[in-house]
Coordinates of all heavy atoms in Angstrom, one line a residue:
M1 N 36.3 -10.4 -31.1 CA 34.9 -9.9 -30.7 C 33.9 -10.9 -31.2 O 34.0 -11.4 -32.3 CB 34.8 -8.5 -31.3 CG 34.1 -7.6 -30.3 SD 32.4 -7.6 -30.2 CE 31.8 -7.2 -31.8
Y2 N 32.9 -11.1 -30.3 CA 31.8 -12.1 -30.6 C 30.5 -11.3 -30.4 O 30.3 -10.5 -29.4 CB 32.0 -13.2 -29.6 CG 31.1 -14.4 -29.9 CD1 31.3 -15.2 -31.0 CD2 30.1 -14.7 -29.0 CE1 30.5 -16.3 -31.2 CE2 29.2 -15.8 -29.2 CZ 29.4 -16.6 -30.3 OH 28.6 -17.7 -30.5
R3 N 29.6 -11.6 -31.3 CA 28.2 -10.9 -31.2 C 27.2 -12.0 -31.1 O 27.2 -13.0 -32.0 CB 28.0 -10.0 -32.3 CG 26.6 -9.3 -32.3 CD 26.4 -8.3 -33.4 NE 27.4 -7.3 -33.4 CZ 28.1 -7.0 -34.4 NH1 28.1 -7.6 -35.5 NH2 29.1 -6.1 -34.2
L4 N 26.2 -11.9 -30.2 CA 25.1 -12.8 -30.2 C 23.8 -12.0 -30.1 O 23.6 -11.1 -29.4 CB 25.2 -13.7 -28.9 CG 24.2 -14.9 -28.7 CD1 24.9 -16.0 -28.0 CD2 22.9 -14.5 -28.1
I5 N 22.8 -12.4 -30.9 CA 21.5 -11.8 -31.0 C 20.5 -12.8 -30.8 O 20.5 -13.9 -31.3 CB 21.3 -11.1 -32.3 CG1 22.3 -10.0 -32.6 CG2 19.9 -10.4 -32.3 CD1 22.2 -9.4 -34.0
Y6 N 19.6 -12.6 -29.8 CA 18.5 -13.6 -29.6 C 17.1 -12.9 -29.5 O 17.1 -11.6 -29.1 CB 18.8 -14.4 -28.3 CG 18.6 -13.7 -27.0 CD1 17.3 -13.5 -26.5 CD2 19.6 -13.1 -26.3 CE1 17.1 -12.8 -25.3 CE2 19.5 -12.4 -25.2 CZ 18.2 -12.3 -24.7 OH 18.0 -11.5 -23.5
I7 N 16.0 -13.6 -29.6 CA 14.8 -13.1 -29.4 C 14.1 -14.1 -28.3 O 14.5 -15.2 -28.2 CB 13.8 -13.0 -30.5 CG1 13.9 -14.4 -31.3 CG2 14.3 -11.9 -31.5 CD1 12.8 -14.4 -32.5
S8 N 13.2 -13.5 -27.5 CA 12.5 -14.4 -26.5 C 11.1 -13.8 -26.4 O 10.8 -12.7 -26.8 CB 13.3 -14.4 -25.2 OG 13.3 -13.1 -24.6
T9 N 10.3 -14.5 -25.6 CA 8.9 -14.0 -25.2 C 8.8 -13.8 -23.7 O 9.3 -14.7 -22.9 CB 7.9 -15.2 -25.6 OG1 8.0 -15.4 -27.1 CG2 6.5 -14.7 -25.4
A10 N 8.4 -12.6 -23.4 CA 8.2 -12.3 -21.9 C 7.2 -13.2 -21.2 O 6.3 -13.7 -21.9 CB 7.7 -10.9 -21.8
S11 N 7.5 -13.6 -20.0 CA 6.6 -14.4 -19.3 C 5.4 -13.7 -19.0 O 5.3 -12.4 -19.0 CB 7.2 -14.9 -18.0 OG 7.4 -13.9 -17.1
D12 N 4.2 -14.4 -18.8 CA 2.9 -13.7 -18.6 C 3.0 -12.8 -17.4 O 2.3 -11.7 -17.4 CB 1.8 -14.7 -18.4 CG 1.5 -15.4 -19.7 OD1 1.8 -14.9 -20.7 OD2 1.0 -16.5 -19.6
A13 N 3.7 -13.1 -16.4 CA 3.8 -12.4 -15.2 C 4.7 -11.2 -15.1 O 4.8 -10.4 -14.1 CB 4.2 -13.3 -14.0
L14 N 5.3 -10.9 -16.3 CA 6.3 -9.9 -16.3 C 5.7 -8.4 -16.1 O 4.7 -8.1 -16.7 CB 7.0 -9.8 -17.7 CG 8.3 -8.9 -17.7 CD1 9.5 -9.9 -17.3 CD2 8.5 -8.5 -19.1
T15 N 6.3 -7.7 -15.1 CA 5.9 -6.3 -14.8 C 6.9 -5.3 -15.4 O 8.0 -5.7 -15.7 CB 5.7 -6.1 -13.3 OG1 7.0 -6.3 -12.7 CG2 4.7 -7.2 -12.7
S16 N 6.5 -4.0 -15.3 CA 7.5 -3.0 -15.8 C 8.6 -2.9 -14.8 O 9.7 -2.6 -15.2 CB 6.8 -1.7 -16.2 OG 6.4 -1.1 -15.0
A17 N 8.3 -3.2 -13.5 CA 9.4 -3.2 -12.5 C 10.4 -4.4 -12.9 O 11.6 -4.2 -12.6 CB 8.8 -3.4 -11.1
D18 N 9.9 -5.4 -13.3 CA 10.8 -6.6 -13.8 C 11.7 -6.1 -14.9 O 13.0 -6.3 -14.9 CB 10.0 -7.8 -14.2 CG 9.3 -8.6 -13.2 OD1 9.9 -8.6 -12.0 OD2 8.2 -9.1 -13.4
V19 N 11.2 -5.3 -15.8 CA 12.0 -4.8 -16.9 C 13.0 -3.9 -16.4 O 14.2 -4.0 -16.9 CB 11.1 -4.2 -18.0 CG1 11.9 -3.6 -19.1 CG2 10.0 -5.2 -18.6
D20 N 12.6 -3.0 -15.6 CA 13.6 -2.0 -14.9 C 14.8 -2.9 -14.3 O 15.9 -2.6 -14.4 CB 13.0 -1.1 -14.0 CG 12.0 -0.2 -14.7 OD1 12.1 0.0 -16.0 OD2 11.2 0.5 -14.0
A21 N 14.4 -3.9 -13.5 CA 15.4 -4.7 -12.8 C 16.2 -5.5 -13.7 O 17.5 -5.5 -13.5 CB 14.6 -5.7 -11.9
I22 N 15.8 -5.9 -14.9 CA 16.6 -6.5 -15.9 C 17.6 -5.6 -16.5 O 18.8 -5.9 -16.6 CB 15.7 -7.2 -17.0 CG1 14.9 -8.4 -16.4 CG2 16.5 -7.5 -18.2 CD1 13.8 -8.9 -17.4
V23 N 17.2 -4.4 -16.8 CA 18.1 -3.4 -17.4 C 19.2 -3.0 -16.3 O 20.4 -2.9 -16.7 CB 17.4 -2.1 -17.9 CG1 18.3 -1.1 -18.3 CG2 16.4 -2.6 -19.0
D24 N 18.7 -2.8 -15.1 CA 19.7 -2.5 -14.0 C 20.8 -3.6 -13.9 O 22.0 -3.3 -13.8 CB 19.0 -2.3 -12.7 CG 18.2 -1.0 -12.6 OD1 18.4 -0.2 -13.5 OD2 17.4 -0.9 -11.6
A25 N 20.4 -4.9 -13.8 CA 21.3 -6.0 -13.7 C 22.2 -6.1 -14.9 O 23.4 -6.4 -14.7 CB 20.5 -7.3 -13.5
S26 N 21.7 -5.8 -16.0 CA 22.4 -5.8 -17.2 C 23.6 -4.8 -17.2 O 24.7 -5.2 -17.5 CB 21.5 -5.6 -18.5 OG 20.5 -6.6 -18.5
I27 N 23.2 -3.6 -16.9 CA 24.3 -2.6 -16.9 C 25.3 -2.9 -15.8 O 26.5 -2.9 -16.1 CB 23.6 -1.2 -16.5 CG1 22.7 -0.8 -17.8 CG2 24.7 -0.1 -16.3 CD1 21.8 0.4 -17.6
R28 N 24.8 -3.3 -14.6 CA 25.7 -3.7 -13.5 C 26.7 -4.8 -13.9 O 27.9 -4.7 -13.6 CB 24.9 -4.1 -12.3 CG 25.7 -4.2 -11.0 CD 24.7 -4.5 -9.8 NE 24.1 -5.8 -10.0 CZ 22.7 -6.0 -10.0 NH1 22.0 -4.8 -9.9 NH2 22.2 -7.1 -10.1
N29 N 26.2 -5.8 -14.5 CA 27.0 -7.0 -14.8 C 27.8 -6.9 -16.1 O 28.9 -7.5 -16.2 CB 26.1 -8.3 -14.8 CG 25.5 -8.6 -13.6 OD1 26.1 -8.4 -12.5 ND2 24.3 -9.0 -13.6
N30 N 27.2 -6.2 -17.0 CA 27.9 -6.2 -18.4 C 29.1 -5.3 -18.4 O 30.1 -5.6 -19.1 CB 26.9 -5.8 -19.5 CG 25.8 -6.8 -19.6 OD1 25.7 -7.8 -18.9 ND2 24.9 -6.6 -20.5
A31 N 29.0 -4.1 -17.8 CA 30.1 -3.1 -17.9 C 31.5 -3.8 -17.4 O 32.4 -3.6 -18.2 CB 29.7 -1.9 -17.1
P32 N 31.5 -4.4 -16.2 CA 32.7 -5.0 -15.7 C 33.3 -6.0 -16.6 O 34.5 -6.3 -16.6 CB 32.5 -5.5 -14.4 CG 31.1 -5.2 -14.0 CD 30.4 -4.6 -15.2
R33 N 32.4 -6.7 -17.4 CA 32.9 -7.7 -18.3 C 33.1 -7.2 -19.8 O 33.3 -7.9 -20.7 CB 31.8 -8.8 -18.5 CG 31.6 -9.6 -17.2 CD 30.4 -10.6 -17.3 NE 30.4 -11.4 -16.1 CZ 29.8 -11.0 -14.9 NH1 29.3 -9.8 -14.8 NH2 29.8 -11.9 -13.9
N34 N 33.0 -5.9 -19.9 CA 33.2 -5.2 -21.2 C 32.2 -5.8 -22.2 O 32.5 -5.9 -23.4 CB 34.7 -5.4 -21.6 CG 35.0 -4.3 -22.6 OD1 34.3 -3.2 -22.7 ND2 36.1 -4.4 -23.4
I35 N 31.0 -6.1 -21.8 CA 30.0 -6.5 -22.8 C 29.1 -5.3 -23.1 O 28.7 -4.5 -22.1 CB 29.1 -7.6 -22.1 CG1 29.9 -8.9 -22.0 CG2 27.8 -7.8 -23.0 CD1 29.1 -10.0 -21.4
T36 N 28.9 -5.0 -24.4 CA 28.0 -3.9 -24.8 C 26.7 -4.5 -25.5 O 26.8 -5.7 -25.8 CB 28.8 -3.0 -25.7 OG1 29.3 -3.7 -26.8 CG2 29.8 -2.2 -24.9
G37 N 25.8 -3.7 -25.8 CA 24.6 -4.2 -26.5 C 23.4 -3.3 -26.3 O 23.5 -2.2 -25.8
V38 N 22.3 -3.9 -26.7 CA 21.0 -3.2 -26.6 C 20.0 -4.3 -26.2 O 20.1 -5.4 -26.6 CB 20.7 -2.4 -27.9 CG1 20.4 -3.3 -29.0 CG2 19.5 -1.5 -27.6
L39 N 18.9 -3.8 -25.5 CA 17.8 -4.7 -25.1 C 16.5 -3.9 -25.5 O 16.3 -2.9 -25.1 CB 17.8 -5.0 -23.6 CG 16.7 -5.8 -23.1 CD1 16.6 -7.2 -23.6 CD2 16.7 -5.9 -21.6
I40 N 15.8 -4.5 -26.4 CA 14.6 -4.0 -26.9 C 13.4 -4.9 -26.4 O 13.4 -6.1 -26.5 CB 14.6 -3.9 -28.4 CG1 15.7 -2.9 -28.8 CG2 13.2 -3.3 -28.9 CD1 16.0 -3.0 -30.3
Y41 N 12.3 -4.2 -25.9 CA 11.1 -4.9 -25.4 C 9.9 -4.2 -26.0 O 9.8 -3.0 -25.9 CB 11.1 -4.8 -23.8 CG 9.9 -5.4 -23.2 CD1 9.5 -6.7 -23.4 CD2 9.1 -4.6 -22.2 CE1 8.4 -7.2 -22.8 CE2 8.0 -5.2 -21.7 CZ 7.7 -6.5 -21.9 OH 6.5 -7.0 -21.3
N42 N 9.1 -5.0 -26.6 CA 7.9 -4.4 -27.2 C 6.6 -4.7 -26.5 O 5.5 -4.5 -27.0 CB 7.8 -4.8 -28.7 CG 7.4 -6.3 -28.8 OD1 7.3 -7.0 -27.8 ND2 7.3 -6.8 -30.1
G43 N 6.7 -5.1 -25.2 CA 5.5 -5.5 -24.5 C 5.2 -7.0 -24.5 O 4.4 -7.5 -23.8
L44 N 5.9 -7.7 -25.5 CA 5.6 -9.1 -25.7 C 6.9 -9.9 -25.9 O 7.1 -10.9 -25.2 CB 4.8 -9.3 -26.9 CG 4.3 -10.7 -27.2 CD1 3.3 -11.2 -26.1 CD2 3.5 -10.7 -28.6
N45 N 7.8 -9.3 -26.7 CA 9.1 -10.0 -27.0 C 10.3 -9.1 -26.6 O 10.1 -7.9 -26.6 CB 9.1 -10.3 -28.4 CG 8.1 -11.2 -29.0 OD1 7.1 -10.7 -29.5 ND2 8.1 -12.4 -28.6
F46 N 11.3 -9.8 -26.3 CA 12.7 -9.2 -26.2 C 13.5 -9.5 -27.4 O 13.4 -10.6 -27.9 CB 13.4 -9.7 -24.9 CG 12.9 -9.4 -23.6 CD1 12.1 -10.3 -22.9 CD2 13.0 -8.1 -23.1 CE1 11.5 -10.0 -21.6 CE2 12.4 -7.8 -21.9 CZ 11.8 -8.7 -21.1
L47 N 14.3 -8.5 -27.7 CA 15.4 -8.8 -28.6 C 16.6 -8.1 -28.0 O 16.6 -7.0 -27.6 CB 15.2 -8.1 -30.0 CG 16.2 -8.3 -31.1 CD1 15.6 -8.3 -32.5 CD2 17.4 -7.3 -31.0
Q48 N 17.7 -8.9 -27.9 CA 18.9 -8.4 -27.2 C 20.1 -8.7 -28.1 O 20.2 -9.8 -28.7 CB 19.1 -9.0 -25.9 CG 20.2 -8.4 -25.1 CD 20.2 -8.8 -23.6 OE1 19.9 -9.9 -23.3 NE2 20.8 -7.9 -22.8
V49 N 21.0 -7.8 -28.2 CA 22.3 -7.9 -28.8 C 23.3 -7.9 -27.7 O 23.3 -6.9 -26.8 CB 22.6 -6.7 -29.8 CG1 24.0 -6.9 -30.5 CG2 21.5 -6.6 -30.8
L50 N 24.2 -8.8 -27.7 CA 25.3 -8.9 -26.6 C 26.6 -9.0 -27.4 O 26.7 -9.8 -28.4 CB 25.2 -10.2 -25.8 CG 23.9 -10.2 -24.9 CD1 23.8 -11.7 -24.4 CD2 24.1 -9.3 -23.7
E51 N 27.6 -8.1 -27.1 CA 28.9 -8.2 -27.8 C 30.0 -8.1 -26.8 O 29.9 -7.4 -25.8 CB 29.0 -7.1 -28.9 CG 28.1 -6.0 -28.8 CD 28.2 -4.9 -29.9 OE1 28.0 -5.2 -31.0 OE2 28.5 -3.7 -29.5
G52 N 31.1 -8.9 -27.0 CA 32.2 -8.9 -26.1 C 33.0 -10.1 -26.5 O 32.9 -10.6 -27.6
T53 N 34.0 -10.5 -25.6 CA 34.6 -11.7 -25.9 C 33.7 -12.9 -25.9 O 32.6 -12.9 -25.2 CB 35.7 -12.1 -24.8 OG1 35.1 -12.3 -23.6 CG2 36.7 -10.9 -24.7
R54 N 34.0 -14.0 -26.6 CA 33.0 -15.1 -26.7 C 32.8 -15.7 -25.3 O 31.7 -16.0 -25.0 CB 33.6 -16.2 -27.6 CG 32.7 -17.3 -27.9 CD 33.0 -18.2 -29.0 NE 32.1 -19.2 -29.2 CZ 32.0 -20.0 -30.3 NH1 32.8 -19.8 -31.3 NH2 31.0 -20.9 -30.3
L55 N 33.9 -15.7 -24.5 CA 33.7 -16.4 -23.2 C 32.8 -15.5 -22.3 O 31.8 -16.1 -21.7 CB 35.1 -16.4 -22.5 CG 35.3 -17.3 -21.3 CD1 35.3 -18.7 -21.8 CD2 36.6 -17.0 -20.6
N56 N 32.9 -14.3 -22.4 CA 32.1 -13.4 -21.5 C 30.5 -13.5 -22.0 O 29.6 -13.5 -21.2 CB 32.5 -11.9 -21.5 CG 33.7 -11.8 -20.6 OD1 33.9 -12.6 -19.7 ND2 34.5 -10.7 -20.7
V57 N 30.4 -13.3 -23.3 CA 29.0 -13.3 -23.9 C 28.3 -14.7 -23.6 O 27.2 -14.6 -23.2 CB 29.1 -13.1 -25.4 CG1 27.7 -13.4 -26.0 CG2 29.5 -11.6 -25.7
E58 N 29.1 -15.7 -23.7 CA 28.4 -17.1 -23.4 C 28.1 -17.3 -22.0 O 27.0 -17.8 -21.6 CB 29.2 -18.2 -24.0 CG 29.3 -18.2 -25.5 CD 30.0 -19.3 -26.2 OE1 30.9 -19.9 -25.5 OE2 29.7 -19.5 -27.4
E59 N 28.9 -16.7 -21.1 CA 28.7 -16.8 -19.7 C 27.5 -16.0 -19.3 O 26.6 -16.6 -18.5 CB 29.9 -16.3 -19.0 CG 29.8 -16.4 -17.4 CD 29.6 -15.2 -16.7 OE1 30.2 -14.1 -17.2 OE2 28.9 -15.1 -15.7
V60 N 27.3 -14.9 -19.8 CA 26.0 -14.1 -19.4 C 24.9 -14.7 -20.2 O 23.8 -14.7 -19.5 CB 26.3 -12.6 -20.0 CG1 24.9 -11.9 -19.9 CG2 27.3 -11.9 -19.0
F61 N 25.0 -15.1 -21.4 CA 23.9 -15.7 -22.1 C 23.4 -17.0 -21.4 O 22.2 -17.2 -21.3 CB 24.2 -16.0 -23.6 CG 23.1 -16.5 -24.4 CD1 22.0 -15.7 -24.6 CD2 23.2 -17.7 -25.1 CE1 20.9 -16.2 -25.4 CE2 22.1 -18.2 -25.9 CZ 20.9 -17.4 -25.9
N62 N 24.3 -17.8 -20.9 CA 23.8 -19.0 -20.2 C 22.9 -18.6 -18.9 O 22.1 -19.4 -18.6 CB 25.1 -19.8 -19.7 CG 25.8 -20.5 -20.9 OD1 25.1 -20.7 -21.9 ND2 27.0 -20.9 -20.7
R63 N 23.2 -17.5 -18.3 CA 22.4 -17.1 -17.2 C 21.1 -16.6 -17.8 O 20.0 -16.8 -17.2 CB 23.1 -15.9 -16.5 CG 23.9 -16.4 -15.2 CD 24.3 -15.3 -14.3 NE 25.4 -14.6 -15.0 CZ 25.6 -13.3 -15.1 NH1 24.6 -12.5 -14.6 NH2 26.6 -12.7 -15.7
I64 N 21.1 -15.7 -18.8 CA 19.9 -15.2 -19.4 C 18.9 -16.3 -19.8 O 17.7 -16.2 -19.5 CB 20.2 -14.3 -20.6 CG1 21.0 -13.0 -20.1 CG2 19.0 -13.8 -21.4 CD1 21.6 -12.2 -21.2
V65 N 19.4 -17.3 -20.4 CA 18.5 -18.4 -21.0 C 17.8 -19.1 -19.8 O 16.6 -19.5 -20.0 CB 19.4 -19.4 -21.7 CG1 18.7 -20.8 -21.9 CG2 20.0 -18.9 -23.0
Q66 N 18.3 -19.2 -18.7 CA 17.7 -19.8 -17.6 C 16.7 -18.9 -16.8 O 16.1 -19.3 -15.8 CB 18.7 -20.4 -16.6 CG 19.5 -21.4 -17.2 CD 20.7 -21.8 -16.4 OE1 20.7 -21.8 -15.1 NE2 21.9 -22.0 -17.0
D67 N 16.6 -17.7 -17.2 CA 15.8 -16.6 -16.4 C 14.3 -16.9 -16.7 O 13.9 -16.9 -17.9 CB 16.3 -15.2 -16.8 CG 15.8 -14.2 -15.9 OD1 14.5 -14.2 -15.5 OD2 16.5 -13.3 -15.6
P68 N 13.6 -17.1 -15.6 CA 12.1 -17.4 -15.8 C 11.3 -16.2 -16.2 O 10.1 -16.4 -16.5 CB 11.7 -17.9 -14.4 CG 12.6 -17.3 -13.5 CD 13.9 -17.2 -14.2
R69 N 11.9 -15.1 -16.3 CA 11.1 -13.8 -16.7 C 10.8 -13.8 -18.3 O 10.2 -13.0 -18.8 CB 11.8 -12.6 -16.3 CG 11.7 -12.4 -14.8 CD 12.5 -11.3 -14.2 NE 14.0 -11.6 -14.4 CZ 14.9 -10.9 -13.8 NH1 14.6 -9.8 -13.1 NH2 16.2 -11.1 -14.0
H70 N 11.4 -14.8 -18.9 CA 11.2 -14.9 -20.4 C 11.2 -16.4 -20.7 O 11.8 -17.3 -20.0 CB 12.0 -14.1 -21.2 CG 13.4 -14.4 -21.3 ND1 14.3 -13.8 -22.1 CD2 14.2 -15.2 -20.4 CE1 15.6 -14.2 -21.8 NE2 15.5 -15.1 -20.8
I71 N 10.7 -16.8 -21.9 CA 10.6 -18.1 -22.4 C 11.0 -18.2 -23.9 O 11.2 -17.1 -24.5 CB 9.2 -18.9 -22.2 CG1 8.2 -18.1 -22.9 CG2 8.9 -19.1 -20.7 CD1 6.8 -18.8 -23.1
S72 N 11.2 -19.3 -24.5 CA 11.4 -19.5 -25.9 C 12.5 -18.7 -26.4 O 12.5 -18.0 -27.4 CB 10.1 -19.2 -26.7 OG 9.1 -19.9 -26.2
V73 N 13.7 -18.7 -25.7 CA 14.9 -18.0 -26.1 C 15.5 -18.6 -27.3 O 15.8 -19.8 -27.3 CB 15.9 -17.9 -24.9 CG1 17.1 -17.2 -25.4 CG2 15.3 -17.3 -23.7
T74 N 15.5 -17.8 -28.4 CA 16.0 -18.3 -29.7 C 17.1 -17.5 -30.2 O 16.9 -16.3 -30.4 CB 14.8 -18.3 -30.7 OG1 13.6 -19.0 -30.1 CG2 15.2 -18.9 -32.1
T75 N 18.2 -18.1 -30.4 CA 19.4 -17.4 -31.0 C 19.2 -17.1 -32.5 O 18.8 -18.0 -33.2 CB 20.7 -18.3 -30.8 OG1 20.8 -18.5 -29.4 CG2 21.9 -17.5 -31.4
V76 N 19.3 -15.8 -32.8 CA 19.1 -15.4 -34.2 C 20.4 -15.4 -35.0 O 20.5 -15.7 -36.1 CB 18.4 -13.9 -34.2 CG1 18.3 -13.5 -35.6 CG2 17.1 -14.0 -33.5
L77 N 21.5 -14.9 -34.2 CA 22.8 -14.8 -34.8 C 23.9 -15.0 -33.7 O 23.6 -14.4 -32.6 CB 22.9 -13.5 -35.5 CG 24.1 -13.0 -36.2 CD1 23.8 -12.1 -37.3 CD2 25.0 -12.3 -35.2
A78 N 24.9 -15.7 -34.1 CA 26.0 -15.7 -33.1 C 27.3 -15.9 -34.0 O 27.5 -16.8 -34.7 CB 25.9 -16.9 -32.2
E79 N 28.1 -14.8 -34.0 CA 29.2 -14.8 -34.9 C 30.4 -13.9 -34.4 O 30.1 -13.1 -33.6 CB 28.8 -14.2 -36.3 CG 28.3 -12.8 -36.2 CD 27.9 -12.2 -37.5 OE1 27.6 -12.9 -38.5 OE2 27.7 -10.9 -37.5
S80 N 31.6 -14.2 -34.9 CA 32.7 -13.2 -34.7 C 32.4 -11.9 -35.5 O 31.9 -12.0 -36.5 CB 34.0 -13.8 -35.1 OG 34.1 -15.1 -34.8
A81 N 32.8 -10.8 -34.9 CA 32.7 -9.5 -35.7 C 33.9 -8.7 -35.4 O 34.5 -8.8 -34.4 CB 31.4 -8.9 -35.2
E82 N 34.2 -7.9 -36.4 CA 35.4 -6.9 -36.2 C 35.0 -5.8 -35.2 O 35.9 -5.5 -34.4 CB 35.7 -6.3 -37.6 CG 36.3 -7.3 -38.6 CD 37.8 -7.5 -38.2 OE1 38.5 -6.6 -37.9 OE2 38.2 -8.7 -38.1
L83 N 33.9 -5.2 -35.4 CA 33.6 -4.0 -34.7 C 32.4 -4.2 -33.8 O 31.4 -4.9 -34.2 CB 33.4 -2.9 -35.7 CG 34.6 -2.4 -36.4 CD1 34.1 -1.3 -37.5 CD2 35.7 -1.9 -35.6
R84 N 32.3 -3.5 -32.8 CA 31.0 -3.4 -31.9 C 30.0 -2.5 -32.5 O 30.4 -1.5 -33.1 CB 31.4 -2.9 -30.5 CG 32.2 -3.8 -29.6 CD 32.5 -3.1 -28.3 NE 33.5 -3.9 -27.6 CZ 33.1 -4.7 -26.6 NH1 31.9 -4.7 -26.2 NH2 34.0 -5.5 -26.0
M85 N 28.8 -2.9 -32.5 CA 27.7 -2.0 -32.9 C 27.2 -1.1 -31.8 O 26.7 0.0 -32.2 CB 26.5 -2.9 -33.4 CG 26.7 -3.8 -34.5 SD 25.3 -5.0 -34.8 CE 24.0 -3.9 -35.4
F86 N 27.5 -1.4 -30.6 CA 27.1 -0.6 -29.5 C 28.2 -0.2 -28.6 O 28.1 -0.3 -27.3 CB 26.0 -1.4 -28.8 CG 24.8 -1.6 -29.6 CD1 24.6 -2.8 -30.2 CD2 23.8 -0.7 -29.8 CE1 23.6 -3.1 -31.1 CE2 22.7 -0.9 -30.7 CZ 22.6 -2.1 -31.3
A87 N 29.4 0.1 -29.2 CA 30.6 0.5 -28.3 C 30.2 1.6 -27.3 O 29.4 2.6 -27.7 CB 31.6 1.0 -29.2
G88 N 30.4 1.5 -26.0 CA 30.1 2.5 -25.1 C 28.7 2.2 -24.4 O 28.4 3.0 -23.5
W89 N 28.0 1.3 -24.9 CA 26.6 1.1 -24.2 C 26.7 -0.2 -23.5 O 26.6 -1.3 -24.0 CB 25.6 1.0 -25.3 CG 25.3 2.2 -26.1 CD1 26.2 3.1 -26.4 CD2 24.1 2.6 -26.8 NE1 25.7 4.1 -27.2 CE2 24.4 3.8 -27.5 CE3 22.8 2.0 -26.8 CZ2 23.4 4.4 -28.3 CZ3 21.9 2.7 -27.6 CH2 22.2 3.9 -28.3
S90 N 26.8 -0.2 -22.2 CA 26.9 -1.5 -21.4 C 25.6 -2.2 -21.5 O 25.5 -3.4 -21.5 CB 27.3 -1.2 -19.9 OG 26.3 -0.3 -19.4
M91 N 24.4 -1.5 -21.6 CA 23.2 -2.1 -22.1 C 22.2 -1.0 -22.2 O 21.7 -0.5 -21.3 CB 22.7 -3.3 -21.2 CG 21.5 -4.0 -21.7 SD 21.8 -4.6 -23.5 CE 23.2 -5.8 -23.2
A92 N 21.9 -0.6 -23.4 CA 20.8 0.4 -23.7 C 19.5 -0.3 -23.6 O 19.4 -1.4 -24.3 CB 21.1 1.0 -24.9
G93 N 18.6 0.3 -22.9 CA 17.3 -0.4 -22.9 C 16.2 0.5 -23.7 O 16.3 1.7 -23.7
R94 N 15.4 -0.2 -24.5 CA 14.4 0.5 -25.3 C 13.1 -0.1 -25.2 O 13.0 -1.3 -25.4 CB 14.8 0.6 -26.8 CG 16.0 1.6 -27.1 CD 15.5 3.0 -27.0 NE 16.6 3.9 -27.2 CZ 17.4 4.3 -26.2 NH1 17.3 3.9 -25.0 NH2 18.4 5.3 -26.4
K95 N 12.0 0.6 -24.8 CA 10.7 0.0 -24.8 C 10.0 0.5 -26.1 O 10.0 1.7 -26.3 CB 10.0 0.5 -23.6 CG 9.9 -0.5 -22.5 CD 9.0 -0.1 -21.4 CE 9.8 -0.1 -20.0 NZ 9.0 0.3 -18.9
T96 N 9.4 -0.4 -26.9 CA 8.8 0.1 -28.0 C 7.3 -0.4 -28.0 O 7.0 -1.3 -27.2 CB 9.4 -0.5 -29.4 OG1 9.2 -1.9 -29.3 CG2 10.8 -0.2 -29.4
S97 N 6.5 0.1 -28.8 CA 5.1 -0.3 -28.7 C 4.9 -1.3 -29.9 O 5.7 -1.4 -30.8 CB 4.2 1.0 -28.9 OG 4.5 1.7 -30.1
Ligands
FMN101 C1 15.4 -10.5 -21.5 C2 16.5 -10.5 -20.4 C3 17.7 -10.0 -20.7 C4 18.7 -10.0 -19.8 N1 20.0 -9.4 -20.0 C5 21.0 -9.5 -19.2 C6 22.2 -9.0 -19.5 O1 22.5 -8.4 -20.5 N2 23.2 -9.1 -18.6 C7 23.0 -9.6 -17.3 O2 23.9 -9.7 -16.5 N3 21.8 -10.2 -17.0 C8 20.7 -10.0 -17.9 N4 19.5 -10.6 -17.6 C9 19.3 -11.1 -16.2 C10 19.9 -12.4 -15.9 O3 19.0 -13.4 -16.4 C11 20.1 -12.6 -14.4 O4 19.0 -12.3 -13.8 C12 21.2 -11.7 -13.9 O5 22.3 -11.6 -14.7 C13 21.5 -11.9 -12.4 O6 22.4 -11.0 -12.0 P1 22.6 -10.7 -10.5 O7 23.1 -12.0 -9.9 O8 23.6 -9.6 -10.4 O9 21.3 -10.3 -9.9 C14 18.5 -10.6 -18.5 C15 17.3 -11.1 -18.2 C16 16.3 -11.2 -19.3 C17 15.0 -11.8 -18.9

C-alpha cells in the first residue's frame, strides 16, 4: 500500500460547481482502482490523501497535477504504509472554512 498527500492552491476561477465535479470524478475514478482517501477544500487550498497501490496512486496523481483547476501542487508525503487511513472511502469530500 502506498500513500500520497499533497496540497495545492485553487485557481482563481474555481467555482463550487467545479469542486462538486472534482469530487464526483474522484469517486467515479478512484473506486474501480481501489484508491481511497479524502479531499479537503478550505476555499483557497486543497489537501488530498490518496492511498492504494503505488501504480494506481501515481497514475491518478499524474492527472491531478495537470488539472488547471488548481496550481502549485506540492507533495507533502509519499510513502509505503501498512494500513489505509480511509478504508472504504473512495473519496470523502470536506469543505472547511
Ligand atoms: C484538487 C483536485 C483533486 C482531484 N482528485 C482526483 C481524484 O482523486 N481522482 C480523480 O480521478 N480525479 C481527481 N481530480 C480530477 C482530475 O484532475 C481529472 O480531471 C479527472 O481525473 C478526469 O477524470 P474523467 O476523465 O473521468 O473526467 C482532481 C482534481 C483536482 C483539481
Side-chain angles (χ1 to χ4, degrees):
M1 223 277 295
Y2 187 72
R3 178 179 302 123
L4 188 149
I5 303 177
Y6 73 83
I7 53 172
S8 66
T9 301
S11 70
D12 286 342
L14 195 87
T15 64
S16 71
D18 288 327
V19 177
D20 292 343
I22 289 168
V23 173
D24 287 350
S26 301
I27 292 169
R28 189 177 64 240
N29 292 325
N30 296 359
R33 292 174 175 80
N34 203 17
I35 292 178
T36 54
V38 67
L39 176 66
I40 296 169
Y41 176 56
N42 69 359
L44 186 65
N45 301 103
F46 291 104
L47 183 151
Q48 188 171 30
V49 181
L50 296 164
E51 17 180 64
T53 65
R54 182 166 186 167
L55 199 71
N56 283 341
V57 168
E58 288 183 340
E59 184 252 325
V60 168
F61 184 60
N62 286 341
R63 265 189 287 137
I64 292 172
V65 165
Q66 294 168 40
D67 195 313
R69 292 172 290 191
H70 63 171
I71 57 165
S72 305
V73 180
T74 306
T75 302
V76 177
L77 179 148
E79 63 177 16
S80 319
E82 285 288 308
L83 295 174
R84 288 175 189 259
M85 294 169 74
F86 299 96
W89 298 27
S90 57
M91 191 50 61
R94 286 287 175 275
K95 264 186 231 179
T96 68
S97 52

